[in-house]
């Protein structure tokens, strides 16, 4: 949805029956002309239209009658229509084909030019091409040269020069081509349609001790939802009662069930495998994680990839150029070299048909729609064709350490005290750190709670954060500092040589050292370690095989960072970084490599994520910030999705290039047949139809790529 249409002012409708981008554009223009409509915008990839103003579904369907489009409200259930060979609009094609065969057989028995044979072909053309001619002639009057215009000129021209059989054949083949295009695009969109069907439309709700089955639209925040074994969750919420395993594949792409118990977050569309759960609903149906995934993916399909922008600009000049070329082919040889008018007009008409830009125009969107849909089903949100292409071009990836390469749940491993008791010093440290959101602070608080020590009643005053180094506060009339070794080196160079050796030993073991002290002495070292993810080493190895340079960015000290970097196998390590240092480094990295991704948690690393070519957020499920800020969101905390995303993007990029080269190449070859006069309407329609179908089928190969 473009910025010209604000979310509050518009109404969204789903459209069924789009076969091509130009048809979608025609529908958009027709809707804009409806009385009461201020503006309209079609999302071809997602088969949606956004309408600003007042209108009805009946009026919208009248605007789409030229292609028999069906319209429904955004939240209405999908209507299953019969396959294209059973659809009413194709009955005229069967009648047209039957008339063609009868006329052809009659021509063999009597005479090809007999009046009855000609009438049979003409009737076949009129019945099969009726809607095509209406669209084509209307566009011709407006000087809009799309495929309908080109086909209309070619078929009428063929009839005028007496090529009735080929004219009728072109009508039928074109109708079949359109039906197959529509089928192929629907196949590409099925990945999104299947997402919409994941969550149930009703749920069993308990209100005031009464259980009732309620439609999801009527479920309120705070309702208790009862989910039996084997049922899917209809809403997001937190477990109120019970324990069970849930298959979250629909949201995170992970098929391994996750155990959920009281206070754990659960998502709509996930499958309850074992126990009875009671879930307190925390979001309305339009705000669930699944709804956001569907919305973001559909919007992503409307985002134009760079190659699509190029193709659209190219097609804008290409189509009129084909019309001019066809006219020159038809006129110049008879005028200059005395060629036969009938022969060269026929060649010109064939050039018009082969020049249809269908395959070229559809080459990029069908690949983008398929790739983004496949990624969504595997737990990866790619928020536009531009990010799909940029990921395919990546040369380097920068990783945040905490929570990305490591699990992000550090724990206290060593406590070295120099005065007072260990418990007393831990209580002081926890009292100072309780207001901090830093993962290392939470590790200390967990340690104190495990030991059963009480720190909440400790009076703390004058709390102050020292950016990038630590914190300080006054407890019992004395100022205490908690922070990195560099903080204490600045406080009158307090660290002794023996203490420095202890710090080096702990850091070399991959541990982060925090120091508690006053302005005059060091009281304790607290070593904290964050466990490396089991998948990190394998993922880095896969990325290296793909030719991607990897670097770890962290605020941790050089020795700890180097130990973890060596453990996972990254190419380079940058340590002791403040948030602004990460941003500076990403900018430098981009100057060196051009295309650089940054992967982090989507919150603390926001500046670096924004500065990278592609910002990737980990663990997007249930995290609104990650879903909104990142260009790509990995819905689970599984790093294995990263190599899959790179491979999918590279494959999509390759297929887009193949499609553009093939669609232009086959037309160039067909047009060269004009020189010896070998181009026929048969060859032209097969070249056009064949190119379109092959481009679409080639794009559908993206559905086969698995993580």
């Amino acid at each position: 949805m473009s910025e010209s249409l604000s979310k509050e002012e518009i109404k969204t409708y789903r459209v069924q029956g789009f076969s091509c981008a130009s048809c979608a554009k025609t529908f958009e223009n027709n809707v804009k002309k409806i009385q009461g409509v201020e503006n309209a915008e079609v999302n071809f990839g997602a088969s949606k239209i956004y309408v600003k103003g007042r209108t009805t579904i009946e009026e919208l369907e009248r605007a789409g009658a030229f292609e028999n489009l069906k319209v429904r409200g955004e939240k209405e259930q999908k209507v299953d229509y019969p396959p294209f060979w059973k659809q009413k609009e194709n009955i005229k094609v069967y009648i047209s084909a039957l008339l063609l065969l009868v006329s052809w057989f009659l021509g063999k028995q009597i005479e090809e030019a007999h009046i009855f044979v000609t009438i049979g072909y003409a009737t076949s053309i009129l019945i099969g091409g009726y809607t095509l001619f209406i669209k084509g002639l209307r566009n011709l009057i407006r000087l809009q040269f799309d495929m309908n215009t080109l086909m209309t000129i070619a078929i009428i021209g063929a009839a005028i020069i007496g090529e009735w059989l080929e004219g009728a054949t072109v009508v039928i083949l074109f109708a079949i081509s359109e039906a197959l295009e529509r089928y192929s695009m629907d196949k590409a969109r099925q990945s999104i349609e299947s997402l919409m069907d994941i969550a149930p439309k009703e749920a069993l709700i308990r209100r005031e001790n009464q259980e009732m089955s309620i439609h999801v639209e009527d479920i309120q925040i705070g309702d208790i939802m009862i989910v039996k074994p084997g049922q899917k969750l209809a809403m997001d919420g937190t477990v109120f009662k019970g324990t069970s395993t849930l298959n979250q594949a629909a949201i995170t792409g992970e098929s391994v069930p996750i155990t959920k118990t009281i206070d754990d977050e659960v998502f709509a569309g996930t499958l309850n495998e074992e126990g009875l759960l009671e879930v307190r609903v925390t979001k309305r149906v339009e705000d669930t994680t699944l709804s956001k995934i569907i919305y973001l993916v559909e919007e992503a399909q409307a985002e134009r990839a760079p190659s699509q922008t190029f193709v659209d600009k190219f097609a804008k000049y290409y189509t009129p150029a084909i019309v001019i070329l066809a006219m020159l082919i038809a006129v110049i040889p008879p005028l200059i070299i005395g060629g036969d008018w009938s022969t060269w007009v026929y060649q010109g008409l064939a050039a018009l048909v082969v020049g249809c830009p269908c395959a070229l125009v559809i080459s990029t969107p069908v690949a983008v729609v398929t790739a983004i849909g496949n990624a969504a089903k595997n737990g990866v949100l790619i928020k536009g064709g531009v990010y799909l292409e940029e990921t395919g071009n990546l040369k380097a990836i920068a990783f945040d350490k905490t929570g990305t390469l490591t699990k992000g749940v550090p724990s206290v491993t060593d406590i070295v005290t120099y005065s007072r008791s260990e418990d007393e010093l831990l209580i002081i440290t926890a009292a100072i750190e309780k207001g901090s959101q830093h993962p290392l602070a939470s590790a200390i608080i967990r340690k104190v709670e495990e030991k059963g020590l009480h720190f909440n009643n400790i009076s703390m005053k004058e709390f102050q954060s020292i950016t990038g180094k630590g914190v300080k506060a006054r407890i019992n009339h004395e100022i205490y500092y908690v922070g990195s070794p560099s903080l204490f080196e600045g406080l009158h160079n307090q660290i002794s040589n023996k203490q420095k050796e202890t710090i080096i030993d702990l850091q070399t073991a991959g541990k982060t050292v925090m120091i508690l002290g006053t302005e005059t002495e060091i009281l304790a070292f607290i070593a904290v370690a964050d466990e490396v993810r089991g998948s990190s080493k394998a993922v880095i190895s896969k990325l290296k095989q793909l030719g991607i340079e990897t670097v770890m960015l962290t605020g941790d000290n050089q020795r700890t960072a180097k130990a973890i970097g060596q453990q996972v196998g990254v190419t380079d390590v940058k340590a002791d970084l403040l948030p602004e240092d990460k941003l500076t480094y990403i900018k430098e990295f981009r100057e060196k490599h051009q295309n650089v991704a940054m992967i982090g948690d989507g919150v603390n690393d926001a500046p670096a994520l924004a500065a990278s070519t592609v910002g990737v957020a980990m663990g997007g499920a249930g995290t609104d910030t990650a879903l909104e800020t990142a260009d790509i969101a990995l819905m689970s905390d599984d790093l294995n999705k990263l190599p899959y995303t790179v491979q999918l993007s590279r494959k999509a990029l390759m297929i887009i290039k193949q499609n553009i080269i093939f669609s232009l190449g086959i037309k160039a070859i067909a047009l060269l047949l004009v020189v010896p006069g070998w181009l026929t309407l048969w060859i032209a329609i097969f070249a056009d139809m064949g190119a379109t179908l092959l481009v679409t089928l080639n794009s559908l190969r993206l559905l086969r790529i698995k993580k």
Side-chain angles (χ1 to χ4, degrees):
M1 195 191 324
S2 69
E3 293 177 5
S4 60
L5 294 175
S6 67
K7 195 175 177 182
E8 293 76 17
E9 297 174 318
I10 65 156
K11 193 164 182 183
T12 306
Y13 300 90
R14 297 192 177 275
V15 186
Q16 193 149 339
F18 282 144
S19 62
C20 62
S22 62
C23 305
K25 191 67 182 174
T26 303
F27 177 57
E28 181 184 291
N29 292 333
N30 289 350
V31 171
K32 286 178 181 177
K33 293 171 187 172
I34 296 173
Q35 191 173 1
V37 172
E38 295 176 46
N39 202 357
E41 186 179 303
V42 165
N43 177 339
F44 174 60
S47 271
K48 290 163 70 174
I49 185 166
Y50 311 104
V51 181
K52 182 180 178 183
R54 294 189 309 277
T55 187
T56 63
I57 286 176
E58 290 74 21
E59 286 177 314
L60 291 172
E61 288 193 340
R62 277 199 294 274
F66 69 94
E67 190 150 86
N68 199 34
L69 299 178
K70 301 296 178 188
V71 181
R72 69 184 194 274
E74 186 183 24
K75 294 173 184 175
E76 285 181 33
Q77 287 275 23
K78 180 189 172 187
V79 180
D80 288 321
Y81 293 97
F84 68 84
W85 55 84
K86 292 183 181 178
Q87 290 170 4
K88 288 180 181 177
E89 59 264 32
N90 289 331
I91 292 174
K92 64 180 184 290
V93 181
Y94 307 145
I95 297 169
S96 178
L98 184 63
L99 280 167
L100 172 66
L101 288 171
V102 170
S103 302
W104 176 80
F105 183 76
L106 195 62
K108 293 293 181 186
Q109 299 301 313
I110 46 176
E111 186 186 338
E112 187 68 38
H114 196 281
I115 186 66
F116 289 128
V117 176
T118 304
I119 289 171
Y121 287 145
T123 309
S124 175
I125 289 171
L126 284 171
I127 292 172
Y130 173 74
T131 52
L132 168 67
F133 298 148
I134 289 174
K135 289 185 276 187
L137 292 169
R138 188 182 293 137
N139 290 345
L140 192 58
I141 292 165
R142 296 170 183 164
L143 294 177
Q144 293 176 350
F145 293 98
D146 64 1
M147 63 179 181
N148 296 304
T149 317
L150 302 188
M151 284 291 183
T152 301
I153 295 169
I155 293 162
I156 293 173
I160 290 170
I161 63 173
E163 297 290 344
W164 293 97
L165 171 61
E166 293 199 26
T169 307
V170 167
V171 165
I172 291 162
L173 289 175
F174 182 69
I176 294 168
S177 171
E178 277 203 313
L180 290 171
E181 270 185 62
R182 195 157 46 241
Y183 170 78
S184 301
M185 277 306 296
D186 285 344
K187 187 80 176 170
R189 294 184 185 111
Q190 274 178 11
S191 50
I192 306 307
E193 291 282 7
S194 63
L195 281 177
M196 294 171 63
D197 296 332
I198 286 170
K201 303 303 175 198
E202 290 188 340
L204 186 63
I205 297 294
R206 182 189 297 125
R207 283 183 187 166
E208 298 173 358
N209 294 323
Q210 283 192 332
E211 293 181 7
M212 59 194 89
S213 187
I214 295 179
H215 194 275
V216 289
E217 295 287 331
D218 301 319
I219 295 174
Q220 302 294 323
I221 293 172
D223 280 344
I224 301 299
M225 177 173 65
I226 299 165
V227 189
K228 297 174 183 176
Q231 288 185 336
K232 286 184 177 180
L233 278 70
M235 306 289 284
D236 281 12
T238 53
V239 178
F240 175 67
K241 186 178 179 182
T243 300
S244 183
T245 55
L246 281 136
N247 187 326
Q248 301 190 139
I251 303 297
T252 65
E254 293 304 308
S255 56
V256 179
I258 305 293
T259 302
K260 298 285 184 178
T261 189
I262 293 169
D263 292 335
D264 284 344
E265 189 174 19
V266 291
F267 308 111
T270 55
L271 176 67
N272 181 20
E273 293 196 338
E274 291 177 356
L276 180 72
L277 286 179
E278 292 189 13
V279 176
R280 189 185 299 280
V281 176
T282 55
K283 294 177 182 176
R284 289 190 54 80
V285 65
E286 61 269 20
D287 298 322
T288 63
T289 302
L290 181 61
S291 296
K292 285 186 176 177
I293 291 171
I294 293 167
Y295 174 77
L296 288 169
V297 171
E298 289 184 331
E299 292 306 300
Q301 292 179 337
E303 291 290 326
R304 291 179 179 271
S307 56
Q308 189 175 346
T309 306
F310 159 75
V311 165
D312 290 345
K313 284 181 181 177
F314 182 79
K316 187 179 177 183
Y317 301 103
Y318 165 84
T319 310
I322 285 291
V323 174
I324 293 167
L325 178 64
M327 286 174 64
L328 294 174
I329 290 168
V331 172
I332 287 177
L335 290 177
I336 293 177
I337 60 172
D340 178 57
W341 277 99
S342 179
T343 301
W344 288 103
V345 166
Y346 178 85
Q347 291 288 299
L349 295 173
L352 267 186
V353 174
V354 84
C356 276
C358 313
L360 180 66
V361 170
I362 208 169
S363 60
T364 302
V366 72
V368 170
V369 167
T370 307
I372 289 175
N374 182 9
K377 289 184 78 173
N378 284 288
V380 179
L381 272 182
I382 302 173
K383 293 170 72 174
V386 61
Y387 306 118
L388 182 75
E389 287 198 16
E390 295 286 13
T391 304
N393 287 318
L394 284 179
K395 300 292 186 295
I397 298 178
F399 291 83
D400 175 45
K401 177 178 76 73
T402 307
T404 303
L405 290 172
T406 65
K407 290 182 177 178
V409 188
S411 56
V412 175
T413 57
D414 303 85
I415 301 169
V416 181
T417 59
Y418 291 98
S419 67
R420 310 188 206 177
S421 71
E422 180 180 299
D423 287 356
E424 182 188 351
L425 294 174
L426 273 174
I427 288 170
I428 291 170
T429 309
I432 295 171
E433 291 281 24
K434 67 182 176 184
S436 173
Q437 297 296 314
H438 199 282
L440 299 182
S442 60
I444 292 167
I445 290 167
R446 276 196 302 275
K447 182 69 175 178
V448 171
E449 288 173 345
E450 283 170 15
K451 295 187 76 170
L453 304 173
H454 300 286
F455 62 91
N456 286 317
N457 56 350
I458 301 292
S459 176
M460 177 189 66
K461 296 178 181 177
E462 299 174 30
F463 178 87
Q464 185 182 337
S465 176
I466 304 164
T467 306
K469 292 186 176 181
V471 293
K472 71 173 185 176
R474 183 181 295 277
I475 293 177
N476 297 331
H477 310 293
E478 189 170 8
I479 297 287
Y480 290 92
Y481 291 82
V482 180
S484 64
S486 62
L487 171 64
F488 284 85
E489 282 180 353
L491 291 171
H492 314 297
N493 197 20
Q494 293 182 28
I495 307 174
S496 68
N497 289 333
K498 190 173 181 180
Q499 288 172 333
K500 283 180 182 177
E501 286 176 14
T502 305
I503 292 170
I504 289 168
D505 289 341
L506 291 167
Q507 289 178 343
T508 306
K511 298 171 183 178
T512 302
V513 179
M514 299 173 70
I515 301 177
L516 170 68
T518 65
E519 289 183 338
T520 56
E521 67 175 327
I522 287 174
L523 302 174
F525 291 162
I526 302 171
V528 177
D530 186 2
E531 191 180 344
V532 172
R533 288 180 187 274
S535 60
S536 293
K537 187 174 182 179
V539 167
I540 297 297
S541 176
K542 285 178 190 174
L543 290 173
K544 283 184 176 178
Q545 288 171 18
L546 292 169
I548 292 177
E549 187 178 329
T550 55
V551 63
M552 184 176 80
L553 307 181
T554 179
D556 217 334
N557 68 84
Q558 186 67 42
R559 289 190 193 89
T560 304
K562 191 175 179 181
I564 291 172
Q566 286 176 342
Q567 193 176 339
V568 299
V570 290
T571 314
D572 197 6
V573 173
K574 299 293 177 184
D576 296 310
L577 301 178
L578 299 173
E580 55 266 33
D581 296 330
K582 288 184 181 181
L583 176 63
T584 304
Y585 185 74
I586 287 290
K587 287 179 179 177
E588 289 175 6
F589 215 35
R590 280 194 70 172
E591 286 177 14
K592 179 183 175 185
H593 294 288
Q594 299 298 317
N595 293 82
V596 178
M598 168 74 189
I599 177 164
D601 59 12
V603 185
N604 300 334
D605 302 302
L609 285 167
S612 61
T613 316
V614 181
V616 184
M618 281 279 287
T623 312
D624 291 346
T625 311
L627 287 176
E628 288 162 13
T629 59
D631 304 320
I632 294 176
L634 309 183
M635 299 306 291
S636 69
D637 281 332
D638 183 9
L639 265 180
N640 283 304
K641 300 288 176 63
L642 198 54
Y644 154 77
T645 307
V646 172
Q647 286 174 308
L648 176 70
S649 300
R650 286 186 176 180
K651 188 76 172 176
L653 205 56
M654 185 180 75
I655 281 176
I656 287 168
K657 288 174 182 175
Q658 287 173 352
N659 287 349
I660 292 171
I661 292 167
F662 177 75
S663 56
L664 288 174
I666 200 166
K667 291 182 185 303
I669 292 166
L671 286 171
L672 286 174
L673 295 177
V674 170
V675 179
W678 295 346
L679 184 62
T680 66
L681 282 172
W682 297 81
I683 294 172
I685 191 66
F686 275 116
D688 178 64
M689 183 173 75
T692 304
L693 289 176
L694 286 172
V695 158
T696 307
L697 291 171
N698 192 34
S699 299
L700 291 178
R701 288 196 299 133
L702 289 165
L703 290 172
R704 293 163 53 192
I705 297 175
K706 305 295 179 188
K707 68 181 178 62

